Amino acid sequence: MNALGRFPETLIPLDESPLAVHGLSAGYGGKPAVMDVDMTVIPGTLMAIVGPNGAGKSTLLKAVLGLVPRLAGEVAVFGEPFARARHRVAYVPQRASVDWDFPVRVIDVALMGLHRELGLLGRIRPHHRARAEAALERTGTLELADRQIGQLSGGQQQRVFLARALAQGADLVLLDEPFAGVDAATEAAIVRVLKSLRTEGRSVVCVHHDLGTVAEYFDRVLLLNRRPIDEGPTDLVLTDRNLQATYGGRLSARHLALVR
Amino acid sequence: MMLFLEALLLQAGRNAALVSVGAALLGLSAGAAGTFMVLRKRALVADAMAHATLPGVALAFLVMVAFGGEGRSLLGLLLGAAATAALGLWAVECLTSRTRLPEDASIGAVLSVTFGAGLVLLTVIQAMSAGQQAGLEGFLLGSTAGMLQADALTVAAGGAIAGLVIWALRRPMAIVAFDEGYAATAGIDVRRTDLAGMLLVLFVTVAGLRIVGLVLIVALLIIPAVAARFWTDRAGVLLAVAAGIGGVSGWVGTALSATAPSLPAGPLVVLVAAGIFAASLLFAPGRGAVARARAARRAAPILSREESLRWIALRHADPSSPLIAQDDGRTPLSALLPVEQIAGLDRRIG
């Protein structure tokens, strides 16, 4: 049962959910940045985590991945602890955190998605390369394959990181603000890829900040402001009352108009 | 000169040949291990570790003498060096993670304190009037003179083992250095990978003490990687090129030292590496200074103001002129049109 007293409209067994979170609190130094989060991802859907700055959206994602200490609650990924299901999960971090002068080409970044299969001593064979190239193709960056990563625009870099997740062949893809500061072509390319993942029956959870596109891009949404406000299909959840509860006074009438 | 060539070709005697092979293998693994440290931006931790070996060497000597030994067993001295180097590494980690000291300050503190302690111990040993301690100074700047066959084999084996381990770990190490957050979610243990890198550097540092010396071993870790960066944009290739540069430096440096036994080996090895670095900086294709200057000159506009104005005048006078397709920013219009038409354009410019 969620915050508004409504049961999730689709009841599925927990071990079939790509990601089920129950009563999760997480944060650094014992201080929770998010509290009491319940969340259930339905297979083959695109889910957005939406809320104001500082609402703990990225923290929630990182807590699921074990990058931020979990203070309470449970996380099940395909019915198992994350550590045992991590091969089925791909993560696309926020773009800022890497060294852009690093000696790595675009194709090498995509190949990182295959490192688990390659193991320590495995050689990169033609079929590995073909998979990495197919992932770049899907994001429209194949012609950049031999460039050093720092030579790309911000949007192109974001698409390459998405390609790395695609090459991994994961069933659950978690993205942290993939649309932040990218050009329109990149945004369209990313949306196209996310929708094709859904067609393949894979699931996507995406931290998102643009209320205007939530309903257009995503099937389901979790509204979050330190605590969960509501979760469910976008058209049911994005109500004036819920948005006021999430954003408080920070939400203007213009924002509300955007959602409709 | 003859002697240098002989040493280079391993013809200067069996011992000198062994030393050269050992130094080459050491340089190889130092270049490779250093690549990870440079990419991870932690190369100076290796310097603290290197300086922290000195008290270990001195203490091991004292212990071996106290137990009635001769005090010069290389393996024993190196074990002592490894022990205090590990302590130094641990101290840097603790100071950085448990206090507010930034990492560079922690490195400086550990480096100077351990080196100071080592120098004090060394002075004590010299005052003990034991005849056989002379070899210990060789650990400061490296020395190939008087190296035994077993010593050279120890160095060579250490270098070879470290090189193989680095090759096996190259992919996780590259992913950790490039994108730590992704590495952690992809199932790579970041802490253990970092630790493995540090231990490899420790291993290489200790193995290289005898030849390169603890003051300069950090140069053999850093210079090959930064020199190799001029030649490639791929981490795997970088590792191989850095290993190659390190290997050549070790080989040539020790060959030089065989011709001039009074010169310490460490500085010679490092100077060879620095020479390769300088050559890379200047002449590497693409990223080298010469190639960059050439590219900049090619990109610069080479038309005079007058010629540029003529092109603009042409576009105004005849927007559909087929000549406009030939405007590449460097071809003067006066080379394409007869003099009288140029004069006509010049009149339009006024």
Side-chain angles (χ1 to χ4, degrees):
Chain A
M1 205 159 73
N2 61 26
L4 284 189
R6 199 167 59 217
F7 281 98
E9 63 296 326
T10 321
L11 283 171
I12 55 163
L14 265 193
D15 54 355
E16 280 175 25
S17 170
L19 174 61
V21 172
H22 181 64
L24 179 71
S25 297
Y28 286 108
K31 286 182 224 138
V34 286
M35 280 165 282
D36 301 326
V37 179
D38 289 331
M39 173 168 111
T40 311
V41 176
I42 314 264
T45 61
L46 308 183
M47 179 160 189
I49 301 175
V50 174
N53 288 334
K57 305 180 297 265
S58 298
T59 307
L60 171 58
L61 218 54
K62 288 181 180 162
V64 165
L65 294 161
L67 296 177
V68 168
R70 203 179 290 167
L71 304 171
E74 284 154 49
V75 172
V77 178
F78 296 103
E80 291 186 289
F82 171 68
R84 241 182 289 155
R86 72 166 88 237
H87 59 283
R88 299 182 68 182
V89 181
Y91 172 51
V92 183
Q94 266 178 338
R95 215 172 46 78
S97 60
V98 311
D99 167 14
W100 295 111
D101 199 38
F102 199 87
V104 66
R105 297 170 307 164
V106 166
I107 183 79
D108 301 322
V109 175
L111 280 166
M112 284 181 188
L114 298 169
H115 99 96
R116 193 181 187 87
E117 278 169 55
L118 288 166
L120 284 186
L121 299 172
R123 283 174 48 97
I124 294 170
R125 300 192 182 281
H127 70 271
H128 294 124
R129 189 165 297 275
R131 267 176 58 195
E133 284 173 355
L136 291 174
E137 173 87 70
R138 276 177 82 175
T139 59
T141 49
L142 182 56
E143 66 274 23
L144 306 170
D146 288 328
R147 300 265 200 96
Q148 193 265 336
I149 187 73
Q151 296 172 356
L152 273 57
S153 74
Q156 291 168 334
Q157 288 165 348
Q158 185 67 281
R159 282 190 262 166
V160 172
F161 285 110
L162 179 59
R164 176 173 65 181
L166 292 177
Q168 210 179 315
D171 297 313
L172 171 64
V173 182
L174 307 177
L175 304 98
D176 197 348
E177 299 263 15
F179 303 114
V182 302
D183 53 288
T186 294
E187 181 150 343
I190 295 176
V191 170
R192 211 176 325 117
V193 170
L194 297 189
K195 295 197 164 163
S196 73
L197 285 171
R198 176 175 60 189
T199 312
E200 294 165 11
R202 304 179 205 267
S203 317
V204 171
V205 177
C206 182
V207 169
H208 191 56
H209 68 282
D210 181 10
L211 271 178
T213 52
V214 177
E216 184 189 342
Y217 294 169
F218 296 97
D219 309 312
R220 296 168 55 83
V221 59
L222 166 71
L223 288 177
L224 185 74
N225 189 354
R226 309 286 304 278
R227 293 172 184 279
I229 309 297
D230 198 4
E231 177 200 355
T234 46
D235 50 341
L236 292 182
V237 168
L238 294 179
T239 61
D240 288 3
R241 204 178 130 195
N242 270 345
L243 290 172
Q244 288 293 357
T246 311
Y247 287 86
R250 277 179 280 186
L251 195 68
S252 65
R254 199 176 61 81
H255 281 111
L256 290 173
L258 268 180
V259 180
R260 277 183 223 114
Chain B
M1 192 61 210
M2 271 312 287
L3 192 56
F4 172 60
L5 280 180
E6 277 176 7
L8 208 55
L9 300 170
L10 303 179
Q11 302 301 312
R14 193 173 144 72
N15 247 9
L18 269 173
V19 168
S20 277
V21 171
L25 281 168
L26 170 78
L28 205 95
S29 55
T35 299
F36 178 62
M37 301 302 278
V38 168
L39 291 179
R40 193 86 172 105
K41 303 193 167 36
R42 304 194 65 188
L44 282 182
V45 180
D47 203 18
M49 241 171 0
H51 282 78
T53 57
L54 188 56
V57 170
L59 284 172
F61 177 84
L62 288 172
V63 168
M64 284 191 285
V65 170
F67 280 93
E70 196 200 354
R72 288 194 60 181
S73 150
L74 183 63
L75 202 59
L77 294 174
L78 294 189
L79 284 177
T84 51
L87 273 179
L89 173 63
W90 178 76
V92 171
E93 296 282 325
C94 279
L95 283 175
T96 310
S97 63
R98 303 214 179 141
T99 71
R100 288 171 172 273
L101 278 187
E103 189 170 50
D104 57 347
S106 316
I107 290 171
V110 169
L111 185 152
S112 44
V113 169
T114 52
F115 191 55
L119 285 179
V120 168
L121 286 170
L122 215 58
T123 318
V124 170
I125 291 172
Q126 267 163 347
M128 278 180 4
S129 79
Q132 73 275 58
Q133 78 275 23
L136 289 195
E137 285 82 50
F139 285 93
L140 287 176
L141 292 174
S143 142
T144 51
M147 248 179 107
L148 303 175
Q149 191 175 322
D151 299 350
L153 285 175
T154 308
V155 173
I161 293 169
L164 286 176
V165 174
I166 295 160
W167 189 248
L169 292 179
R170 69 194 186 283
R171 281 200 291 257
M173 282 183 166
I175 296 177
V176 166
F178 175 58
D179 190 349
E180 198 181 327
Y182 175 79
T185 58
I188 297 171
D189 190 325
V190 174
R191 261 186 64 92
R192 266 195 226 168
T193 308
D194 272 335
L195 190 66
M198 288 288 177
L199 288 178
L200 280 166
V201 168
L202 176 85
F203 196 74
V204 170
T205 303
V206 169
L209 281 186
R210 187 68 170 81
I211 293 183
V212 183
L214 61 94
V215 177
L216 288 174
I217 186 83
V218 69
L220 197 56
L221 289 162
I222 296 176
I223 295 176
V226 291
R229 189 66 184 86
F230 286 101
W231 299 90
T232 178
D233 273 335
R234 304 172 58 184
V237 178
L238 183 77
L239 188 71
V241 175
I245 292 174
V248 169
S249 307
W251 187 288
V252 177
T254 43
L256 280 172
S257 127
T259 63
S262 58
L263 287 176
L268 291 173
V269 170
V270 169
L271 283 176
V272 173
I276 298 175
F277 170 76
S280 307
L281 174 79
L282 288 174
F283 303 118
R287 297 175 69 101
V290 173
R292 271 170 188 254
R294 235 185 244 156
R297 204 177 327 136
R298 233 177 289 128
I302 53 170
L303 283 187
S304 66
R305 188 182 126 86
E306 196 183 17
E307 290 289 352
S308 303
L309 284 172
R310 280 174 185 154
W311 274 110
I312 295 170
L314 175 74
R315 281 166 193 264
H316 274 276
D318 181 9
S320 60
S321 164
L323 282 176
I324 288 172
Q326 292 183 48
D327 182 6
D328 56 3
R330 67 182 77 197
T331 312
L333 195 51
S334 55
L336 303 173
L337 283 177
V339 185
E340 50 275 22
Q341 288 190 36
I342 291 291
L345 287 174
D346 283 349
R347 268 196 301 283
R348 290 178 67 95
I349 297 167

